[in-house]
Amino acid sequence: MKMTQLFFKTMRETPSDAEIISHQLMLRAGLIRKQAAGIYSFMPLGYRVLKKIEAIIREEMDAAGAQELIMPSLLPAESYRESGRWDAFGDEMFRLKDRNQRDFCLGPTHEEIFTETVRDYARSYRDLPLILYQIQTKYRDEIRPRFGVMRSREFVMKDAYSFDRDDDGLDVSYRAMDKAYRRIFDRLGLDYVVIDADTGTMGGSGSQEFTVKSEAGESEIVQCTECGYAASVEKAQCVAGAKAEAVDSMQPEYVATPNARTIAEVTAFLGCRDTDLAKTILYKADGKPVAAMVRGDREVNEAKLMSYLGCSSLEMADEESVTTITGAEVGFAGPVGLPVRIIADLEIEGSPRLIVGANRTGFHLKHVAPGRDFNAEYADIRIITGTDPCPRCGAALEFGRGIEAGHIFKLGTKYSESMGCIYLDETGTGHPMVMGCYGIGVNRTMAAIIEQHHDENGIIWPMSVAPYQAVIVPVNVLDEKQAEIADNIYSELQSRGVEVLLDDRNERAGVKFKDADLIGIPIRVNVGRKAAEGLVEFKLRHEDKARELPVDMAADVVLEAIKTART
Ligand SMILES: [Zn+2]
């Protein structure tokens, strides 16, 4: 493609509403154009990248035995009513009516549609296993679309669904998808971690997220420095810690702590450490009061607590309820004699003696022994911190951020049961199919690649997804010799199958180099003054230095660089 004909426009200034690098660079390089909040067009250069990412996904999905199809985005409400999600989606679903006032939506995700399709076509155990996928546009009315295509309202997603006879079959499909995902993200040149997205199951295999490491990401993650354990901060497991050694036999004793309600106030007043204290927090779980206990230096992880309780709502108890339950003002709740269910963190069980609220305004109790002075259910209910060890091997953990680009998930029979997706076994007995679902956010993955592959001059595309592999830049197009040599190299590369740009614009060399760097073309060949002596310059985008080459070697060297990058 000659750049005089290429439909593109670059920008020197950083757009003021773009907060993260990938959003800034996609706009500056002219890859996308904003149509409305969270809605973008992909311009020719950007669309080439998107198609390359899709091609890699497609190749690996096909290689894993999945079959591609395409479903509509405009969907009737009935399918979602059947699963109960027509209501559950709430405002996130784009809804509309047809001319006959029938309800439709723009598909936010397609579990229902795949389930009913398979229900209609596959009836026998002989039809299974089955993995279907599509690469298709999804719609979600995000409350806060931002970060460009990272969190947008219309986006391309690869979604796949597996259908198996039983859990063992699902395991096989799930592993095949896991392997395909690793190959996809490797080929895209991404540095990623696969995090366990299950709560409370050690190394759980029911749900994993493929998270691209990036400070621009919205997920907070912890990663072991030794064994590869990785998890979201919200779900990372905390271990019990050391059990108490022999303890003293002191009995609980009231200690006056007037006006000291917070951990900081109590430690300052009593001159103790925050680890000597336990805080008792009252919640309402599905409307019923429960107490959660963590050490003074810890915080309750409400997601873990909800998962442990199996409740669907959890909120802090209001002041009035606290007073009614504890008989004291807020700030003095404690476990001794507390008339509600108490869930205490694993660390509490191992603590020898604790200072806790006395359920009496202005007082705390010291020398309180778990198990002797109060009873609780013990569970991992705290937020992991920098001082926690890896739950798998005990080594130190590192905290970071990441972009969730892919997710694989064992659905089980949730949809097949509610929607009657049944197969008949060898004896003619019906069973619900066991399902898995597997997603990759394609636009988001494109942004994630830029987050990991850029410098101050622009994008540095991995060869596998670059919009063009090489650009030939005649430094002065008005110089006939330069123009001719550049044109020859361009033609030769084209005939040898290279995706190549010729920057034949009558612009200053500096402008052309800046554009090539901003757009992120991996290989650049500069045809300048030395062309008359038979020399051109060869430069890789990710290297600082250019090197000189004889003109007749240029095409071979470019091809070699493409080949090397692919392996
Ligand atoms: Zn570890």
Side-chain angles (χ1 to χ4, degrees):
M1 170 65 74
K2 290 184 175 170
M3 287 180 77
T4 45
Q5 285 154 30
L6 181 67
F7 185 57
F8 88 114
K9 189 178 131 208
T10 54
M11 259 186 256
R12 292 285 165 257
E13 298 78 33
T14 301
S16 58
D17 62 336
E19 295 166 66
I20 60 170
I21 295 284
S22 57
H23 189 195
Q24 294 167 3
L25 289 176
M26 285 173 99
L27 288 169
R28 285 187 52 207
L31 307 184
I32 56 170
R33 177 180 171 274
K34 183 176 170 179
Q35 192 66 48
I39 303 176
Y40 292 88
S41 300
F42 279 78
M43 306 309 282
L45 284 172
Y47 192 44
R48 287 180 73 93
V49 177
L50 198 69
K51 283 192 292 184
K52 288 194 171 187
I53 296 171
E54 289 180 7
I56 288 172
I57 294 173
R58 198 167 268 129
E59 280 173 29
E60 295 301 337
M61 292 303 288
D62 291 349
Q67 298 173 61
E68 187 174 11
L69 49 68
I70 187 90
M71 289 179 166
S73 291
L74 181 60
L75 295 162
E78 284 69 38
S79 309
Y80 292 92
R81 287 207 172 105
E82 209 175 325
S83 71
R85 287 210 293 181
W86 181 258
D87 295 322
F89 263 111
D91 289 341
E92 206 164 274
M93 188 186 251
F94 276 105
R95 294 157 205 265
L96 60 161
K97 286 185 190 293
D98 71 3
R99 63 175 71 212
N100 298 313
Q101 299 304 305
R102 280 188 290 251
D103 286 320
F104 281 80
C105 71
L106 296 175
T109 166
H110 276 68
E111 279 83 357
E112 286 83 353
I113 321 302
F114 275 86
T115 307
E116 46 178 44
T117 303
V118 172
R119 175 182 68 191
D120 292 348
Y121 276 70
R123 297 267 164 77
S124 158
Y125 69 93
R126 282 183 294 262
D127 298 321
L128 306 178
L130 184 62
I131 305 177
L132 300 173
Y133 78 98
Q134 63 176 347
I135 298 176
Q136 188 243 24
T137 305
K138 304 269 186 263
Y139 298 86
R140 284 185 204 167
D141 196 358
E142 286 282 347
I143 196 161
R144 225 184 129 202
R146 56 190 190 142
F147 302 150
V149 301
M150 195 82 87
R151 184 166 287 282
S152 52
R153 299 196 290 171
E154 176 183 293
F155 53 96
V156 177
M157 206 171 135
K158 188 284 297 173
D159 51 330
Y161 303 85
S162 65
F163 298 83
D164 280 280
R165 297 182 62 157
D166 49 29
D167 288 342
D168 289 346
L170 172 58
D171 280 342
V172 174
S173 298
Y174 187 86
R175 277 200 300 274
M177 287 296 105
D178 176 65
K179 214 171 125 197
Y181 271 43
R182 288 171 198 267
R183 289 187 50 87
I184 290 165
F185 288 107
D186 286 345
R187 288 179 62 187
L188 294 174
L190 288 167
D191 179 14
Y192 61 95
V193 288
V194 184
I195 66 175
D196 177 8
D198 272 343
T199 306
T201 52
M202 188 72 150
S205 56
S207 173
Q208 285 165 296
E209 287 169 8
F210 287 71
T211 304
V212 177
K213 292 188 219 167
S214 163
E215 283 310 303
E218 294 183 279
S219 319
E220 266 190 288
I221 55 172
V222 287
Q223 219 190 327
C224 177
T225 50
E226 295 289 333
C227 77
Y229 172 84
S232 68
V233 165
E234 187 173 72
K235 287 164 183 170
Q237 290 205 305
C238 300
V239 292
K243 279 259 182 202
E245 307 257 312
V247 295
D248 61 57
S249 56
M250 306 273 274
Q251 292 298 309
E253 186 184 313
Y254 283 99
V255 42
T257 50
N259 297 319
R261 296 157 195 266
T262 65
I263 294 295
E265 287 164 358
V266 177
T267 50
F269 189 84
L270 297 178
C272 62
R273 296 168 304 175
D274 52 6
T275 51
D276 299 331
L277 267 85
K279 39 186 166 188
T280 307
I281 299 163
L282 288 156
Y283 284 95
K284 282 191 174 166
D286 290 339
K288 282 195 196 130
V290 292
M293 277 182 82
V294 291
R295 228 168 56 184
D297 58 328
R298 307 299 194 185
E299 299 298 332
V300 174
N301 182 326
E302 295 182 353
K304 286 182 182 175
L305 181 60
M306 280 182 81
S307 157
Y308 175 80
L309 293 168
C311 61
S312 52
S313 80
L314 185 77
E315 51 180 1
M316 293 254 243
D318 55 72
E319 211 173 315
E320 199 188 324
S321 310
V322 172
T323 311
T324 312
I325 295 164
T326 64
E329 285 172 23
V330 171
F332 301 98
V336 181
L338 198 67
V340 299
R341 186 175 171 194
I342 300 170
I343 322 300
D345 184 65
L346 298 172
E347 262 177 355
I348 298 289
E349 192 174 20
S351 301
R353 289 294 180 268
L354 291 162
I355 301 167
V356 298
N359 297 325
R360 193 169 139 188
T361 303
F363 287 90
H364 277 71
L365 273 176
K366 54 183 189 178
H367 310 306
V368 170
R372 182 192 68 184
D373 303 316
F374 68 92
N375 285 310
E377 298 160 47
Y378 295 98
D380 169 18
I381 57 159
R382 67 187 166 88
I383 293 173
I384 199 155
T385 67
T387 58
D388 279 296
C390 169
R392 214 174 266 170
C393 77
L397 291 171
E398 262 172 7
F399 282 66
R401 301 186 76 83
I403 298 160
E404 186 197 330
H407 194 172
I408 58 177
F409 190 74
K410 288 184 179 176
L411 284 172
T413 56
K414 182 179 167 189
Y415 292 93
S416 51
E417 272 179 23
S418 68
M419 301 183 73
C421 184
I422 305 289
Y423 74 92
L424 301 180
D425 68 14
E426 291 87 336
T427 66
T429 312
H431 306 274
M433 295 185 200
V434 183
M435 292 171 58
C437 71
Y438 316 91
I440 293 178
V442 181
N443 312 11
R444 182 182 286 192
T445 297
M446 179 168 162
I449 296 170
I450 297 173
E451 290 293 338
Q452 284 192 346
H453 298 272
H454 69 268
D455 62 13
E456 66 281 7
N457 299 318
I459 303 166
I460 309 174
W461 290 115
M463 192 65 77
S464 59
V465 296
Y468 287 89
Q469 296 160 325
V471 55
I472 314 301
V473 184
V475 169
N476 175 8
V477 286
L478 303 177
D479 178 315
E480 271 176 35
K481 188 76 188 164
Q482 286 183 26
E484 185 197 325
I485 289 172
D487 209 52
N488 287 343
I489 297 171
Y490 170 68
S491 302
E492 185 180 352
L493 287 174
Q494 268 196 325
S495 69
R496 292 171 76 175
V498 176
E499 298 169 77
V500 58
L501 287 170
L502 175 66
D503 197 346
D504 54 344
R505 295 177 296 165
N506 185 12
E507 289 277 5
R508 282 181 294 114
V511 170
K512 297 192 201 184
F513 294 163
K514 274 206 164 72
D515 277 347
D517 281 358
L518 177 58
I519 295 166
I521 308 299
I523 301 167
R524 192 173 81 209
V525 177
N526 303 328
V527 182
R529 220 167 290 151
K530 283 194 176 172
E533 303 162 32
L535 290 174
V536 293
E537 248 181 11
F538 172 89
K539 187 179 175 304
L540 293 174
R541 175 67 181 86
H542 67 266
E543 286 179 2
D544 292 333
K545 283 222 167 63
R547 61 188 165 107
E548 283 184 344
L549 289 178
V551 169
D552 55 6
M553 275 178 64
D556 285 341
V557 172
V558 168
L559 276 148
E560 188 56 33
I562 293 169
K563 209 172 121 199
T564 322
R566 271 193 187 139
T567 51

